[in-house]
Amino acid sequence: MKVRKAVIPAAGLGTRVLPATKSMPKEMLTIVDKPAIEYIVEEAVRSGITDILIITNRGKGVIEDHFDRSPELEDRLLASGKKDVYDQVVSISKLANIFFIRQKETKGLGHAVSCARSFVGDEPFAVLYGDDVIIGDDPACGQLIRAYEKYGKAVVGIKEVSREAISKYSSLKVAPLEGNMYSCTDMVEKPKTDEEVLSLFSVLGRCVLTPDIFDILDRTAPGAGGEIQLTDAMKTLARSVGMTGVDFTGKRYDMGDKLGILQATVEIALKDAVLGEPFRNYLKEISKTL
Ligand code: UTP
């Protein structure tokens, strides 16, 4: 079955990016001239997704406003002859069919995904974590969708992390399939000892799930931090029917982390058609003083 629906969980509290995220959702933090979540929606659309559910909560109304029309602003832009900016502003509201639902209590990523049950119905669906921006010519979500179409199993986006970092992530038991694809049959969330580390591959940022994940999530007890962890439900899936891991191409930026935000800003600005050159010159100048 074709993957045409995606879920973007964006209801987290963003405590690692306070005070910026006290009243501004981290998914709305700007990279150059667009909020992070717009890059993510664009990636989904480029991957063939037509329907997107964004999971929000209290205080995240600005996300809804961003993907809505803005008649007063649009009139002003047209009246002042700024047709290019007008087109850009209007196009945001036409990217995809975008729906919103509130996660009423912040009970973890797994709980956020379970809020998508009636939107998803009986179809496979992609999940794009709202604070992970991935930039690449071949959209990461589309790479996972191709792996789903090929192997018919749930797919996780995976990347190798350092041995020091793996204790903060999940560790996957993987075996090579072909190219950058692996079969994944087990996982350990935040391994504490070297014996618990199954590999340095971890789930990062994107997955394609099958609707059986919802029953598994319903049975999943709160895990780390008292939250319902999506990775705990994925472990059940990996151990029972197995999953496919895709070591996706593209550069991932963690917008839930202050250094990640700075890296995204610098690297994406350097690629910008208009700002790239003056920004590069500015960086060269300032680097002399470092
Ligand atoms: P994170 O764990 O990175 O988000 O979740 P967080 O809870 O905001 O992080 P802290 O507070 O800085 O540690 C990954 C994604 O899942 C969403 C977040 O918005 C983020 O996009 N999420 C997380 C939810 O939608 N609901 C939740 O209950 C938790």
Side-chain angles (χ1 to χ4, degrees), residues 39-114:
Y39 291 89
I40 296 172
V41 167
E42 284 173 350
E43 178 197 324
V45 172
R46 284 171 62 216
S47 304
I49 297 293
T50 56
D51 292 42
I52 298 173
L53 178 70
I54 302 180
I55 317 275
T56 65
N57 66 6
R58 287 170 294 282
K60 304 242 182 184
V62 283
I63 301 181
E64 295 183 35
D65 293 343
H66 187 74
F67 291 101
D68 195 0
R69 293 293 294 264
S70 181
E72 266 181 27
L73 174 67
E74 291 167 18
D75 289 350
R76 177 67 62 88
L77 290 171
L78 277 185
S80 53
K82 294 185 173 148
K83 181 75 170 53
D84 287 358
V85 196
Y86 167 86
D87 288 341
Q88 212 180 352
V89 164
V90 172
S91 69
I92 300 168
S93 62
K94 296 184 175 165
L95 281 168
N97 301 318
I98 302 185
F99 304 83
F100 297 90
I101 194 168
R102 285 189 178 202
Q103 181 190 16
K104 296 194 180 70
E105 289 170 278
T106 314
K107 292 204 286 195
L109 180 57
H111 179 257
V113 169
S114 65

Side-chain angles (χ1 to χ4, degrees), residues 251-288:
K251 181 82 193 272
R252 169 183 166 268
Y253 301 101
D254 182 0
M255 294 298 289
D257 175 75
K258 291 179 189 179
L259 188 60
I261 297 169
L262 292 170
Q263 288 164 342
T265 303
V266 171
E267 292 181 28
I268 295 174
L270 281 170
K271 290 198 189 102
D272 190 89
V274 179
L275 292 168
E277 202 188 326
F279 186 59
R280 177 170 288 102
N281 293 337
Y282 164 74
L283 282 185
K284 281 183 182 161
E285 272 312 305
I286 204 163
S287 67
K288 290 179 194 157

Side-chain angles (χ1 to χ4, degrees), residues 110 113-114 117 121-122 125 210-221 228 233-234 236-237:
V113 169
S114 65
R117 188 171 199 148
D122 202 21
F125 64 104
T210 43
D212 47 345
I213 197 77
F214 294 113
D215 282 343
I216 300 175
L217 279 168
D218 282 350
R219 294 194 302 267
T220 302
I228 299 185
M234 285 174 172
T236 306
L237 211 54

Side-chain angles (χ1 to χ4, degrees), residues 103-275:
Q103 181 190 16
K104 296 194 180 70
E105 289 170 278
T106 314
K107 292 204 286 195
L109 180 57
H111 179 257
V113 169
S114 65
C115 297
R117 188 171 199 148
S118 64
F119 165 79
V120 165
D122 202 21
E123 297 183 28
F125 64 104
V127 180
L128 297 91
Y129 299 11
D131 57 355
D132 272 320
V133 169
I134 302 175
I135 303 293
D137 293 335
D138 187 10
C141 177
Q143 297 174 44
L144 270 61
I145 290 175
R146 293 201 295 273
Y148 171 76
E149 284 166 355
K150 179 150 195 190
Y151 295 103
K153 292 182 177 177
V155 186
V156 279
I158 62 173
K159 283 273 169 210
E160 268 187 304
V161 303
S162 67
R163 186 150 284 269
E164 299 74 57
I166 193 75
S167 59
K168 287 189 262 155
Y169 292 90
S170 55
S171 168
L172 307 182
K173 183 176 178 186
V174 289
L177 284 170
E178 57 176 309
N180 60 350
M181 293 187 236
Y182 297 78
S183 73
C184 168
T185 47
D186 200 0
M187 54 199 282
V188 174
E189 180 63 11
K190 298 189 173 55
K192 288 182 204 65
T193 60
D194 276 359
E195 291 70 51
E196 278 185 352
V197 174
L198 302 171
S199 78
L200 295 181
F201 276 112
S202 183
V203 177
L204 288 180
R206 304 285 180 264
C207 54
V208 171
L209 297 171
T210 43
D212 47 345
I213 197 77
F214 294 113
D215 282 343
I216 300 175
L217 279 168
D218 282 350
R219 294 194 302 267
T220 302
E227 297 190 331
I228 299 185
Q229 300 289 344
L230 183 60
T231 43
D232 286 341
M234 285 174 172
K235 178 162 78 180
T236 306
L237 211 54
R239 286 183 172 176
S240 55
V241 289
M243 295 192 297
T244 305
V246 176
D247 185 2
F248 57 84
T249 59
K251 181 82 193 272
R252 169 183 166 268
Y253 301 101
D254 182 0
M255 294 298 289
D257 175 75
K258 291 179 189 179
L259 188 60
I261 297 169
L262 292 170
Q263 288 164 342
T265 303
V266 171
E267 292 181 28
I268 295 174
L270 281 170
K271 290 198 189 102
D272 190 89
V274 179
L275 292 168

